[in-house]
Amino acid sequence: MVVAFALVPLKAHNNITNLGEHIGQLENLLKIDVSHNRLTKALDFTSAGMLQHADFSNNRIEDVDNASNHKYLRELNLSHNNIDDIRALR
């Protein structure tokens, strides 16, 4: 039996600056919403193997290096950030 969990969306405007090292240990994480914070990196964790939807909008993200590590990711919202180069998303 496979059990999947979704992270309850964090409320906007929490001033979160990083997700911490433990977020990658949530192997059954399906959805994460950390919009409207002060994150400077997106998808900087590698072990959340089931992640399908991620909202990193309205942060301070400048680059996305680890998108390819999330093979089940279907929806990624990076709007309203400081991203100049999207080559890592191809």
Side-chain angles (χ1 to χ4, degrees), residues 46-59:
T46 57
S47 298
M50 302 293 288
L51 186 63
Q52 297 176 7
H53 304 278
D55 187 347
F56 285 87
S57 63
N58 296 287
N59 277 285

Side-chain angles (χ1 to χ4, degrees), residues 15-76:
N15 294 319
I16 296 171
T17 57
N18 74 55
L19 294 177
E21 62 187 60
H22 301 294
I23 193 78
Q25 295 175 3
L26 301 174
E27 295 176 4
N28 295 318
L29 179 68
L30 294 176
K31 181 178 182 179
I32 187 169
D33 182 348
V34 287
S35 59
H36 297 277
N37 281 288
R38 296 183 333 183
L39 295 170
T40 57
K41 295 181 181 178
L43 302 172
D44 58 337
F45 49 92
T46 57
S47 298
M50 302 293 288
L51 186 63
Q52 297 176 7
H53 304 278
D55 187 347
F56 285 87
S57 63
N58 296 287
N59 277 285
R60 298 177 181 175
I61 296 166
E62 296 180 359
D63 58 44
V64 182
D65 292 332
N66 295 328
S68 63
N69 292 334
H70 301 277
K71 63 182 179 180
Y72 296 106
L73 189 62
R74 290 189 275 178
E75 182 180 326
L76 175 61

